[in-house]
Amino acid sequence: MNPIIERISNIGIVPVVKVNKIEHAIPMMQALYDGGIDAAEITFRSEHAKEAIEIVSKTIPNMLVGAGTVLNVEQAKAACDAGASFIVTPGFNAKVVEWCIENNIPVLPGISTASELETALSYGITTVKFFPAESSGGAKKIKDLSAPYQHVKFLPTGGIGLSNMHEYLSLPSVLAIGGSFMIPENLVNDENWEELSKLSRQAVKTMLDFKLTHLGINHENEEQSKQTAQTLCDLFNFTFYNKPKSKFAGVGFELLNSKGRGVNGHIGIYTPYPERALYHLEKKGVHGINETITRNKRTNKINFVYLDKEIAGFAIHLINPDLKMEV
Ligand code: 3PG
């Protein structure tokens, strides 16, 4: 996968930004960045697009800046001269696509039908914008399109927000979601950058959806883990589960038969998108431990990974809720 496209996939959310006043460009993008979203598509729906792309690329170099609503080659060229790393178009525009291919610029042309998708494929493009997402059939349509076109990745935009983002993001064929829901115009007009930042943080929080799944406690041997599990089950009426390497008291306590990772044990955290979680956690200085990764055999997505961080003697692993303990 192209590294820019891969980064978009890991970021998971691409704000579609219209810059009405050039002096808003930096604080707006800084608010997104501070809220944990380090990508944006600056659209050519305003006359400031080129200048905004230029100053944001220079001032916030860690932000992945693309250009959106690119309607012709002149705009594509202007965007790239200004520093845009990728181009998004609302519909399939052959001239823009050809120019981007010639100039080695990742381009996500807009499609909403199988025929338009086939046109994209005929240019060797396998990553497309799905637009307008909600009014073109939503996540269900992407799912249906993915059946015949299994290698295609979609960036849906149009009508996506906190309440429906998982319908899209949970599809393996969805690269990331896009939209303007985290940058409502009234907040921009009021220059309420703090609130804007909060909305981005909320969007990332909703996407990663971290939840405690269990506390793992290390033991010297199986006899001891069994004893702890039985005590917890007796006291709190939890169900006892016997697993090959541990016992469980309910689903919330894992009593390991040995000294596992962590001085005292581990904390299990659910997230539906471990790749995206790792990307966002890396910005906080926490990384996944490669040799602990296990993957879904069909999708090759990460199911399980330990982090290189211990808290109070507890190691931490992420786990995909699809791997819910069978009870
Ligand atoms: C786009 O151009 O991608 C859409 O206009 C964004 O859609 P939204 O404003 O409904 O999020």
Side-chain angles (χ1 to χ4, degrees), residues 1-9 11 64 85-86 106 108 175:
M1 197 185 268
N2 173 292
I4 304 247
I5 301 292
E6 190 173 358
R7 189 166 162 204
I8 292 175
S9 167
I11 296 169
L64 179 64
S85 301
F86 61 97
L108 294 96
L175 180 77

Side-chain angles (χ1 to χ4, degrees), residues 16 41 45 69 129 131 157-160 178-181:
V16 176
E41 174 194 322
R45 285 177 214 181
T69 319
K129 165 167 167 150
F131 177 76
T157 73
I160 302 177
S180 61
F181 64 93

